[in-house]
Amino acid sequence: MILKKNYLKNMANTKGLIAYYSRKGQNYVGGSIVNLPVGNTEIIAKKIQELTGNDLFEIDTIKPYPKDYTETTNVAMDEKRGNARPELTATVDNMDSYDVIYLGYPNWWGTFPMAVFTFLESYDFSGKTIIPFCTHEGGGLGNSERDIKKLCPNANVKPGLAIRGGSVKNADNMLKSSIA
Ligand SMILES: Cc1cc2nc3c(=O)[nH]c(=O)nc-3n(C[C@H](O)[C@H](O)[C@H](O)COP(=O)(O)O)c2cc1C
């Protein structure tokens, strides 16, 4: 877990959006396959919402991923190799009204799922602050911060928070000290 104390606290007076991608279902946590009724990233996104009172937006794909973990890793690898842009179920109508975007995602093959590439290419983030948060199984943020900067060259991309999947339920204190 990377602790970045206080640097998010001065965001309190700006209007923020918590946008996240998270996959429910079979996943690999702490060395075993488990069924997650709520995805790890979604748990963190909702905790950030409780702490900040900001709006919440789920990034989701029209085409669902397989329930099976290994099958999903294969589909995700094919999408990454093919530089895919999966179609999303919804758009943010009022993106202009947000100054700060808390962007949440799982680490998939060293960066965020291709759905988050679709999301980041769908809006102009110039002048906005992007605060990445990521859940993972050892790879941390991977290349994701670099990828956000490439897709949003005119945004102010803050150092991201990385939280291990098995630690999301106990992340309250870390989030409080970083965000609240
Ligand atoms: C398709 C896929 C690829 C993954 N690739 C990585 C990886 O490269 N590095 C890593 O640390 N964890 C990897 N993971 C584990 C997830 O990052 C981790 O389980 C995360 O907490 C899942 O979040 P979610 O429940 O919000 O979807 C992968 C999981 C999936 C399903």
Side-chain angles (χ1 to χ4, degrees), residues 1 18 20 22 38-51 56 102-105 132-136 161-165 167-172 174-175 179:
M1 198 182 292
I18 304 149
Y20 70 96
S22 186
V38 181
N40 289 327
T41 311
E42 181 167 351
I43 290 174
I44 297 295
K46 290 187 169 160
K47 285 181 191 291
I48 295 176
Q49 185 195 27
E50 275 171 35
L51 288 169
L56 196 62
Y102 297 85
L103 182 69
Y105 46 83
F133 62 97
C134 158
T135 70
H136 66 96
L161 298 174
I163 301 154
R164 235 186 210 278
S167 303
V168 294
K169 293 208 170 95
N170 304 318
D172 296 55
M174 187 274 279
L175 291 172
I179 288 172

Side-chain angles (χ1 to χ4, degrees), residues 110-130:
T111 188
F112 34 79
M114 299 316 289
V116 179
F117 282 78
T118 308
F119 177 80
L120 290 175
E121 285 176 354
S122 301
Y123 307 92
D124 181 4
F125 292 97
S126 300
K128 297 186 193 297
T129 297
I130 299 179

Side-chain angles (χ1 to χ4, degrees), residues 14-95:
T14 50
K15 188 167 183 220
L17 176 71
I18 304 149
Y20 70 96
Y21 176 85
S22 186
R23 177 180 157 274
K24 298 175 182 61
Q26 227 187 52
N27 217 327
Y28 184 75
V29 181
S32 348
I33 298 285
V34 292
N35 191 53
L36 300 178
V38 181
N40 289 327
T41 311
E42 181 167 351
I43 290 174
I44 297 295
K46 290 187 169 160
K47 285 181 191 291
I48 295 176
Q49 185 195 27
E50 275 171 35
L51 288 169
T52 63
N54 285 320
D55 296 343
L56 196 62
F57 176 79
E58 182 175 10
I59 301 167
D60 200 7
T61 54
I62 290 179
K63 191 172 169 204
Y65 288 92
K67 295 236 177 320
D68 183 81
Y69 172 77
T70 308
E71 281 177 35
T72 296
T73 61
N74 292 333
V75 172
M77 178 49 90
D78 286 348
E79 286 183 348
K80 191 180 177 199
R81 286 207 179 111
N83 201 19
R85 295 293 183 272
E87 213 180 321
L88 305 183
T89 53
T91 51
V92 178
D93 296 330
N94 52 340
M95 188 60 93

